[in-house]
Amino acid sequence: GFVALRGSDTTVTSATNAKITVFGCAIEASGTEAKGTVLMKTADDLMGYNKSEEKKMEEIIKSIADTGCTVVVSGGTVSEMALHFIERYGLLCLRCPSKFDLRRLCTATGSTALVRLGPATPDEMGYCDSVTVREVGGRKITVFASQDDDTASSSGGASGRGGGRLSTIVLRASTTSTLADLERAIDDGVHSVKMACRDGRLVPGAGATEMDLSVRIKNYADTCPGLDQYAVRAFAKALEVVPRTLAENAGLDGASVLAALGAAHANGNAMAGIDIEAAGTGRNGVDESTDVRDLLNVKVNAFRLAIDAALTVLRVDQIIMSKPAGGGMKDARMGQS
């Protein structure tokens, strides 16, 4: 379903098995492309002009209601005259000025945003099981709730066309910072599931992968002749920052836990990771067979990003060092002479 962060503009606050018409434009009387002047000599002329405008707007709203539509969503403003006739025909009206939210609403209900003011065809109309206005934390919201595609199609509901294509999670917190942290955690979790659906390969977590790579790279450094082995060892040592950080954040002694974890991986135990619950229990802080798993793609992208950042810094240092020292002072002396 979809949640709009505002209430209804009419007194109608709920609709079941709703048919939804979404307008990407404002619901108001359209103006002429060229400027014009209307000359009115009597009060009857003014009354007739207003009545003709009202009659045209009533015809538009009535044609929308005759299609069976019960909910009208506007991506722009809604004039008072249009709101009056929407109220008269018992429709729920909602304004959604955000184009992003309007696209999400169309995705959730299976509707098409119209750029013309008039009735929608059955293919352009959206469907929803229920539309209700609720109050959460002192703020009114409009909830478009739909069943899953399989459930709706088996029960014969109209929402089988658009239901289940989009879901919304409503978060509440006491402070803005806590709410931002919750939103970031939800976003990370959703992207992790999305990545797992693309590539479900997993690797040991809790620092086990980084420590195993560090041990293997150190062993490779022993086979490298010359000064290259120092760079290889530095790269291996940089990988130890992940298990060390996990140990320190868990209240453990980073140096001792890192030594014990390195010894376990040197003995061939590739599944050994950090035991973050070992603080105050007398254990050495190493889980011989960790149950934590990380996505392979996440690790690969993290390593690729770190290596690219390190190479960028090295290239910048080379450019700075390649410039001749005192170049500015030399040019100044040549100018004085």
Side-chain angles (χ1 to χ4, degrees), residues 57-85:
M57 181 58 68
E58 184 178 7
E59 290 177 358
I60 294 174
I61 301 302
K62 184 178 182 301
S63 63
I64 295 174
D66 290 342
T67 60
C69 171
T70 55
V71 179
V72 177
V73 181
S74 172
T77 59
V78 181
S79 65
E80 293 183 1
M81 186 185 303
L83 201 60
H84 165 72
F85 290 111

Side-chain angles (χ1 to χ4, degrees), residues 143-301:
V143 180
F144 294 79
S146 298
Q147 301 177 10
D148 294 337
D149 288 335
D150 297 337
T151 306
S153 59
S154 62
S155 60
S159 63
R161 178 174 167 230
R165 296 182 60 187
L166 185 142
S167 299
T168 303
I169 301 175
V170 179
L171 300 177
R172 297 182 60 187
S174 56
T175 61
T176 306
S177 60
T178 305
L179 188 62
D181 292 340
L182 290 174
E183 183 180 2
R184 202 158 39 242
I186 292 292
D187 188 64
D188 293 341
V190 170
H191 282 83
S192 297
V193 173
K194 183 178 179 181
M195 187 65 71
C197 293
R198 292 180 178 177
D199 188 352
R201 291 179 294 177
L202 302 175
V203 294
T209 300
E210 288 80 5
M211 180 55 71
D212 194 69
L213 288 174
S214 177
V215 171
R216 291 173 181 267
I217 293 175
K218 286 180 180 178
N219 295 334
Y220 171 73
D222 295 337
T223 63
C224 296
L227 298 177
D228 292 344
Q229 60 177 310
Y230 293 101
V232 177
R233 288 185 182 278
F235 187 91
K237 188 173 181 60
L239 294 175
E240 297 177 359
V241 70
V242 175
R244 183 188 294 274
T245 303
L246 287 175
E248 292 176 352
N249 289 343
L252 304 173
D253 184 9
S256 60
V257 172
L258 204 64
L261 185 62
H265 281 271
N267 293 330
N269 187 4
M271 298 296 296
I274 301 295
D275 184 8
I276 61 174
E277 298 178 352
T281 60
R283 300 196 295 267
N284 62 353
V286 176
D287 188 355
E288 297 297 333
S289 180
T290 181
D291 295 330
V292 181
R293 297 291 183 271
D294 290 332
L295 289 171
L296 175 63
N297 273 338
V298 174
K299 292 292 184 183
V300 171
N301 291 331

Side-chain angles (χ1 to χ4, degrees), residues 1-22 68-73 90-95 105 108-111 126-135 141-147 159:
F2 173 78
V3 176
L5 299 180
R6 62 190 311 150
S8 172
D9 292 337
T10 59
T11 58
V12 182
T13 58
S14 63
T16 57
N17 294 327
K19 293 184 178 181
I20 305 168
T21 302
V22 180
C69 171
T70 55
V71 179
V72 177
V73 181
L91 305 180
L92 190 152
C93 180
L94 175 69
R95 287 186 293 115
L105 174 60
T109 59
S111 57
Y127 302 93
C128 194
D129 289 334
S130 65
V131 180
T132 55
V133 178
R134 305 177 187 176
E135 188 171 351
I141 61 174
T142 304
V143 180
F144 294 79
S146 298
Q147 301 177 10
S159 63

